[in-house]
C-alpha cells in the first residue's frame, strides 16, 4: 500500500467503515510509515475538534490541505 492509498482510506478507517482485510493492510502500512501515523493522529485530532464544536463535516478545503501537506513530505515512501 502506498501513502496515497492509505490517505484515501483514512476517513473510513477513523470512522470504522473498513473491512477487516483492509484494516490489516492499513495497519501494516502504519507500522512501516511514520508519516502516515502522524497524518492519522492529526486528522483524528482535527475531526475531534470539529465534533466538539458540533461541526460534523470536516471542511473539504481543510482535508485537502492536510492531505497535500503530508503527501509532500511523503514522496519518498
Ligand atoms: Zn505512508
Amino acid at each position: 500500500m502506498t501513502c496515497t492509498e492509505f490517505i484515501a482510506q483514512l476517513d473510513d478507517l477513523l470512522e470504522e467503515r473498513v473491512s477487516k482485510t483492509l484494516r490489516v493492510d492499513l495497519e501494516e502500512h502504519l507500522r512501516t510509515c511514520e508519516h502516515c501515523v502522524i497524518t492519522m493522529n492529526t486528522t483524528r485530532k482535527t475531526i475531534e475538534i470539529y465534533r466538539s464544536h458540533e461541526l460534523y463535516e470536516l471542511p473539504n478545503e481543510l482535508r485537502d490541505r492536510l492531505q497535500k501537506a503530508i503527501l509532500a513530505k511523503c514522496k519518498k515512501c
Side-chain angles (χ1 to χ4, degrees):
M1 177 173 294
T2 65
C3 292
T4 312
E5 286 167 342
F6 178 86
I7 288 166
Q9 303 293 336
L10 182 57
D11 287 347
D12 287 341
L13 177 66
L14 291 174
E15 301 289 341
E16 312 274 339
R17 286 189 304 232
V18 292
S19 67
K20 224 181 237 175
T21 337
L22 183 56
R23 174 182 281 272
V24 170
D25 287 348
L26 292 165
E27 283 172 356
E28 181 69 39
H29 183 80
L30 283 176
R31 269 197 292 277
T32 59
C33 184
E34 88 180 89
H35 290 299
C36 284
V37 174
I38 294 165
T39 314
M40 185 177 72
N41 291 337
T42 309
T43 306
R44 184 185 278 145
K45 239 173 244 160
T46 310
I47 291 171
E48 278 167 11
I49 290 165
Y50 272 88
R51 290 220 167 123
S52 69
H53 289 85
E54 294 183 2
L55 295 165
Y56 285 84
E57 285 296 312
L58 196 60
N60 284 333
E61 189 197 316
L62 180 62
R63 194 186 302 246
D64 284 353
R65 231 187 309 154
L66 273 173
Q67 293 184 352
K68 280 193 188 112
I70 201 73
L71 284 174
K73 283 186 200 158
C74 231
K75 272 178 189 142
K76 59 181 179 291
C77 305

